[in-house]
């Protein structure tokens, strides 16, 4: 059988290690002897940061590459990798690739949707608990050595509205039920109101405002596509309770940030937990930094200790599908954008 040349373009999460983890490389090699895997992470990473001193070496690697495993492809990928058949993205969302040359080509694109369900589901619960238990106030008092007791609430009996019942939304629903919460969700493919696993009421997207009006927390879990950009805006905030806290762990542009800031300032809603923002890093002059009803984190909700290994294992299974002529897992539908 003709070898399948795989180029790994994703370094370790340890910033001190520019190459891919050995476990990642071994997981891919374990598929079979026909898999020829090369780690180009250090070279491609350097090029991405402006170092073009290894262009000849990189071009030689790309020239024989059949499959690319990484976060972002190098520039001029189609010209430099004429044999490229498949790009396995190491993120769940593929919005950053829309409109690029690889997006417009016939190269197969797959993601790693599904591996983020556990860490992001836990992150959603952590943010809801932080709001319910008022932990930001505790951290703030710690900085000034204050000891003023305050009230905290519970999640039991509260309602969480989930925008997008995919892998992440479904895990958030499961965890919310463990806290005895009420769960309402929307899903793009749902046409009529129904019940679903761990969901008391599943609604079509067209009835989202109905869900928002009942929710104490709103978790935005859908992918970013032209259809979902600013899916939460002025009208949606007005549909919420003045005590509702919105949580965004998807992509920043899912929420109209200017409308969000107005809603927070005017107390239209109770607060926001944002792991993502429209512009990243969040600009130093953004009003969000100084708002007491906002919890910010720097796009880390999907992180976990063995992230790249989990992604590599999913990729390895996909290679087996590819070699067997089976449909690939997480095959991106370019029309839908995910």
């Amino acid at each position: 059988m003709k070898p399948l040349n795989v180029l790994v373009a994703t370094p370790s999460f340890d910033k001190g290690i520019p190459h891919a983890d050995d476990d990642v490389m071994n997981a891919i090699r374990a598929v079979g002897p026909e898999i020829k895997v090369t780690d180009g992470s250090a070279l491609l990473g350097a090029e991405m940061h402006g170092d073009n001193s290894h262009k000849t070496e990189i071009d030689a690697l790309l020239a024989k590459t059949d499959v690319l495993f990484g976060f972002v492809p190098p520039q001029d990928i189609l010209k430099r990798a004429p044999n490229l058949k498949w790009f396995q993205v190491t993120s769940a969302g593929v919005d950053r690739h829309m409109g690029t040359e690889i997006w417009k080509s016939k190269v197969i694109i797959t993601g790693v949707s599904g591996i983020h369900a556990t860490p992001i589901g836990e992150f959603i619960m952590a943010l809801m608990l932080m709001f319910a238990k008022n932990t930001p106030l505790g951290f703030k008092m710690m900085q000034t050595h204050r000891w003023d007791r305050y009230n905290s609430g519970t999640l039991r009996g509260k309602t969480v509205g989930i925008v997008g019942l995919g892998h992440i939304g479904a895990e958030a629903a499961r965890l919310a039920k463990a806290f005895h919460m009420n769960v309402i969700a929307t899903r793009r493919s749902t046409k009529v109101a129904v019940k679903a696993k761990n969901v008391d009421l599943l609604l079509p997207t067209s009835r989202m405002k109905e869900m928002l009006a009942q929710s104490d927390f709103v978790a935005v879990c859908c992918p970013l596509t032209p259809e979902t950009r600013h899916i939460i805006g002025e009208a949606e905030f007005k549909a919420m309770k003045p005590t509702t806290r919105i949580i965004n762990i998807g992509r920043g542009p899912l929420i109209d940030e200017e409308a969000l800031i107005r809603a927070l300032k005017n107390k239209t809603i109770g607060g926001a937990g944002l792991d993502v923002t429209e512009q990243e890093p969040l600009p130093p002059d953004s009003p969000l930094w100084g708002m007491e009803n906002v919890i910010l984190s720097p796009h880390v909700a999907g992180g976990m200790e063995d992230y790249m290994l989990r992604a590599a294992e999913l990729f390895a299974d996909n290679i087996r599908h590819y070699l067997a002529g089976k449909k690939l897992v997480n095959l991106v539908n370019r029309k839908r954008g995910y």
Side-chain angles (χ1 to χ4, degrees):
M1 179 180 288
K2 183 181 177 182
L4 188 70
N5 293 304
V6 176
L7 181 63
V8 174
T10 300
S12 165
F13 271 148
D14 182 343
K15 292 184 179 180
I17 304 175
H19 55 77
D21 289 325
D22 290 340
D23 288 345
V24 168
M25 299 296 291
N26 291 335
I28 300 170
R29 289 192 185 102
V31 173
E34 67 271 43
I35 307 304
K36 305 301 179 185
V37 57
T38 304
D39 181 15
S41 302
L43 294 176
L44 291 167
E47 183 181 83
M48 186 180 296
H49 290 93
D51 179 359
N52 294 310
S53 60
H54 298 282
K55 186 177 185 303
T56 301
E57 189 177 351
I58 294 172
D59 285 347
L61 288 176
L62 291 172
K64 60 183 182 180
T65 296
D66 298 308
V67 184
L68 181 67
F69 175 71
F71 188 62
V72 178
Q75 290 185 338
D76 301 320
I77 181 64
L78 299 182
K79 180 181 178 180
R80 301 168 76 186
N83 299 315
L84 185 66
K85 304 174 184 67
W86 172 19
F87 176 32
Q88 172 71 60
V89 185
T90 53
S91 60
V94 292
D95 48 282
R96 61 178 50 84
H97 302 294
M98 290 183 189
T100 63
E101 60 172 334
I102 203 165
W103 187 269
K104 296 174 183 177
S105 73
K106 294 183 179 180
V107 173
I108 297 167
I109 302 176
T110 53
V112 292
S113 179
I115 72 168
H116 302 81
T118 294
I120 297 183
E122 291 179 0
F123 208 90
I124 292 169
M125 295 307 303
L127 287 170
M128 289 199 291
L129 283 166
M130 287 178 76
F131 278 120
K133 303 304 178 184
N134 209 357
T135 51
L137 177 58
F139 286 128
K140 184 177 180 181
M141 291 197 308
M142 184 177 173
Q143 307 308 312
T144 56
H145 297 199
R146 284 170 54 207
W147 185 272
D148 296 332
R149 299 188 70 183
Y150 56 83
N151 289 327
S152 63
T154 64
L155 295 182
R156 179 187 289 269
K158 301 296 192 302
T159 297
V160 57
I162 298 172
V163 182
L165 193 68
H167 291 293
I168 293 168
E171 177 64 4
R174 186 185 72 82
L175 294 174
K177 275 300 175 187
F179 281 79
H180 303 285
M181 298 182 74
N182 303 312
V183 180
I184 309 176
T186 60
R187 187 166 57 195
R188 179 183 179 276
S189 59
T190 296
K191 303 303 180 186
V192 295
V194 294
K195 284 190 175 184
K197 187 176 181 180
N198 297 314
V199 176
D200 300 293
L201 182 62
L202 179 60
L203 298 170
T205 304
S206 60
R207 293 177 62 182
M208 184 170 65
K209 288 180 185 175
E210 190 177 323
M211 177 190 77
L212 299 177
Q214 301 179 54
S215 299
D216 299 294
F217 297 92
V218 174
V220 185
C221 302
C222 54
L224 177 62
T225 69
E227 183 182 358
T228 61
R229 182 174 292 271
H230 287 187
I231 193 172
I232 303 292
E234 198 86 49
E236 286 70 33
F237 290 124
K238 288 180 179 178
M240 298 179 196
K241 303 175 185 179
T243 54
T244 298
R245 277 71 171 255
I246 188 164
I247 293 168
N248 188 6
I249 47 69
R251 291 288 187 268
L254 292 169
I255 294 179
D256 181 340
E257 204 161 281
E258 290 185 5
L260 170 63
I261 291 170
R262 286 194 297 272
L264 291 165
K265 284 182 175 179
N266 299 333
K267 308 293 185 184
T268 305
I269 63 171
L274 307 172
D275 184 57
V276 290
T277 53
E278 288 214 63
Q279 183 180 334
E280 295 180 4
L282 183 66
D285 60 351
S286 171
L288 293 170
W289 285 111
M291 292 184 168
E292 291 189 355
N293 54 352
V294 173
I295 300 172
L296 294 170
S297 54
H299 203 145
V300 295
M304 54 184 162
E305 302 89 335
D306 58 348
Y307 183 99
M308 289 312 306
L309 178 58
R310 295 282 305 279
E313 289 171 345
L314 188 152
F315 176 43
D317 284 340
N318 245 352
I319 294 176
R320 295 182 182 95
H321 282 232
Y322 183 84
L323 295 175
K326 297 179 180 179
K327 183 178 178 180
L328 300 183
V329 177
N330 294 329
L331 183 64
V332 171
N333 183 318
R334 283 167 165 87
K335 289 184 179 180
R336 291 183 180 177
Y338 59 91

